[in-house]
Amino acid sequence: MRLAFITSNPGKVEEARKYFEPLGVEVYQLKVDYPEIQADTLEEVAEYGARWLAERLDGPFFLDDSGLFIDALNGFPGVYSAYVYRTLGVDGILKLMEGVEDRRAHFRSVIAYWDNELYLFTGRVEGEITREKRGTMGFGFDPIFKPTGFEETFAEMTTEEKNRISHRGRALKAFAEWLKENLK
Ligand code: ITT
Ligand code: NA
């Protein structure tokens, strides 16, 4: 089976590929720009994008909308994560967190799969914002996110290690289990 992943982010594609490879599912990247609405939840953003694409594309596809939610910043950047990554960047987040003792944060990922109808799969991982950048793997905010129970940041983990515990890995797991049950 082949699955189209609609995203501009090669890091997400790498993670989905590594996840699905052993299951005999080939993931390929399709770069199609779709509107990302301003909404309160990742679910709304993902659902709007998927329905918009469904009117324009043939066949099944999936997309992923993710965010980093920092407790001390009341959940910021959250649904604004992509914009904040492009503007403030990782260094800007570290700056905002200077002198902040409560470093708790979580990532969430919402996968929207379209196949004649919409299916949503979600994943979440708890952790904290480090005091400095560490590691060169991964992408986005990975160098400053340390998952709870681990010494390494996501950027110090291989894709396989990150997938085992990450928000996206968990959403991919729910997605893969659904596919296994429903595509017999
Ligand atoms: P799409 O084309 O798939 O939308 P994107 O990078 O714009 O790619 P999002 O809209 O989901 O992705 O924005 C989420 C932001 O959070 C983006 O800047 C990512 O770099 C970052 N992000 C998402 N998942 C991440 C992860 O697993 N590790 C680190 N940063 C992540
Ligand atoms: Na995006």
Side-chain angles (χ1 to χ4, degrees), residues 110-177:
V110 175
I111 289 175
Y113 176 56
W114 179 268
D115 185 6
N116 294 312
E117 52 183 305
L118 182 75
Y119 304 91
L120 295 182
F121 306 95
T122 68
R124 174 176 172 146
V125 60
E126 305 296 329
E128 60 188 64
I129 303 299
T130 54
R131 300 210 178 246
E132 68 286 313
K133 291 182 274 190
R134 282 181 1 222
T136 55
M137 291 181 272
F139 66 94
F141 299 107
D142 280 346
I144 57 166
F145 186 86
K146 188 186 83 60
T148 303
F150 294 81
E151 289 308 314
E152 304 85 12
T153 66
F154 273 161
E156 295 175 304
M157 296 181 179
T158 63
T159 302
E160 286 88 346
E161 287 167 334
K162 183 183 167 189
N163 268 347
R164 251 179 258 132
I165 53 174
S166 75
H167 50 309
R168 183 163 303 99
R170 287 174 176 160
L172 286 167
K173 181 164 193 268
F175 182 22
E177 281 167 1

Side-chain angles (χ1 to χ4, degrees), residues 71-107:
D71 287 17
L73 305 179
N74 294 317
F76 184 83
V79 292
Y80 307 110
S81 293
Y83 176 76
V84 167
Y85 180 72
R86 283 196 303 270
T87 53
L88 298 179
V90 167
D91 294 320
I93 293 290
L94 285 180
K95 193 121 215 165
L96 282 179
M97 291 296 285
E98 256 170 33
V100 177
E101 280 309 308
D102 179 4
R103 315 290 298 183
R104 287 173 299 176
H106 65 270
F107 268 115

Side-chain angles (χ1 to χ4, degrees), residues 8 12 34 36 64-65 82 86:
S8 63
K12 290 183 181 179
Y34 60 89
E36 293 192 26
D64 163 303
D65 199 58
R86 283 196 303 270

